[in-house]
Amino acid sequence: DTAVSQTPKYLVTQMGNDKSIKCEQNLGHDTMYWYKQDSKKFLKIMFSYNNKELIINETVPNRFSPKSPDKAHLNLHINSLELGDSAVYFCASSPDWNTEAFFGQGTRLTVV
Amino acid sequence: AQSVAQPEDQVNVAEGNPLTVKCTYSVSGNPYLFWYVQYPNRGLQFLLKYITGDNLVKGSYGFEAEFNKSQTSFHLKKPSALVSDSALYFCAVRAGTYKYIFGTGTRLKVLA
């Protein structure tokens, strides 16, 4: 069983479209994250959630809206996609905010 | 400002030789430090962490890291490198509640 799973794995879409990425973890963790990895492999945190509540929004544009319907899921919706949104997006989870994170395999988003 | 630096973009080492991947950090308070590895087209995998205790931390796949408070460093080491260790390595530091900063990554290439 995959611990942290993201869908889709690849996403190609046109500028201006709206898209969603889904994330589920079966580890029973309380904390979930979204990270963005750019073309230079720089990894930056976008959002942190704990027990479905938003804790960190790291100056991400309002076009990005995370949603956590329950503790095991953290989805990412992106409105009005821009070329600069092209990146690999990683979902991760951890038992709490002091421990290591378990990462999904990533979603490669390409905006054309 | 809290930060983490990986001064080397790439490290080349011959198989069987010891390897070191460098990481320095700047945080307020006691540092929580992590190393992750990323294989191509995969998510990050946790290797080891330092929170408190012994300065030499042992982790997965024979890796270890040495915490040096005076030099604010947390270098990743392995006594004998394998070709399969070739990957991208990230150092990370806890930069606040639910917030982590990742280094820019170091590509390790182990030559047969």
Side-chain angles (χ1 to χ4, degrees):
Chain A
D1 276 347
T2 304
V4 181
S5 59
Q6 297 177 226
T7 53
K9 191 170 180 180
Y10 299 97
L11 189 51
V12 181
T13 188
Q14 292 188 326
M15 274 196 308
N17 283 353
D18 303 338
K19 290 293 178 185
S20 291
I21 306 171
K22 295 186 176 181
C23 177
E24 176 182 4
Q25 54 98 359
N26 62 5
L27 298 167
H29 290 166
D30 286 343
T31 304
M32 295 186 74
Y33 310 86
W34 277 109
Y35 284 88
K36 179 181 180 180
Q37 187 174 45
D38 64 20
S39 58
K40 293 186 178 179
K41 304 296 185 183
F42 296 159
L43 195 68
K44 188 170 180 185
I45 193 164
M46 300 172 68
F47 301 102
S48 297
Y49 267 71
N50 187 61
N51 280 323
K52 304 191 300 176
E53 291 193 18
L54 177 66
I55 305 295
I56 295 275
N57 177 340
E58 194 60 18
T59 60
V60 178
N62 290 338
R63 299 182 296 103
F64 290 79
S65 52
K67 283 189 173 51
S68 183
D70 56 59
K71 215 170 69 165
H73 295 83
L74 180 61
N75 304 322
L76 184 65
H77 188 76
I78 316 170
N79 290 327
S80 303
L81 278 154
E82 302 177 357
L83 292 176
D85 297 331
S86 295
V88 181
Y89 292 84
F90 287 102
C91 176
S93 73
S94 62
D96 59 57
W97 61 286
N98 274 329
T99 54
E100 62 274 17
F102 291 74
F103 283 76
Q105 83 275 24
T107 296
R108 183 176 295 276
L109 171 65
T110 304
V111 182
V112 298
Chain B
Q2 307 196 87
S3 63
V4 59
Q6 294 180 242
E8 301 154 318
D9 288 339
Q10 181 160 321
V11 169
N12 295 327
V13 64
E15 188 175 29
N17 283 2
L19 69 87
T20 299
V21 182
K22 295 179 181 177
C23 173
T24 59
Y25 66 90
S26 173
V27 294
S28 53
N30 292 325
Y32 282 41
L33 297 156
F34 302 80
W35 274 103
Y36 290 86
V37 60
Q38 184 179 26
Y39 296 100
N41 300 315
R42 303 287 298 276
L44 279 71
Q45 295 177 36
F46 168 73
L47 280 177
L48 50 80
K49 66 183 176 187
Y50 173 84
I51 294 178
T52 187
D54 289 341
N55 290 341
L56 186 63
V57 178
K58 293 192 184 298
S60 306
Y61 312 120
F63 284 94
E64 56 190 29
E66 188 169 8
F67 171 67
N68 187 316
K69 189 172 183 178
S70 62
Q71 296 185 6
T72 62
S73 67
F74 189 55
H75 300 333
L76 181 70
K77 300 183 179 186
K78 188 174 181 182
S80 179
L82 300 172
V83 172
S84 57
D85 293 330
S86 298
L88 187 58
Y89 290 81
F90 288 95
C91 181
V93 64
R94 192 191 73 180
T97 307
Y98 294 98
K99 182 177 176 181
Y100 290 83
I101 297 175
F102 282 74
T104 49
T106 298
R107 191 166 300 281
L108 173 67
K109 197 168 184 179
V110 181
L111 307 168

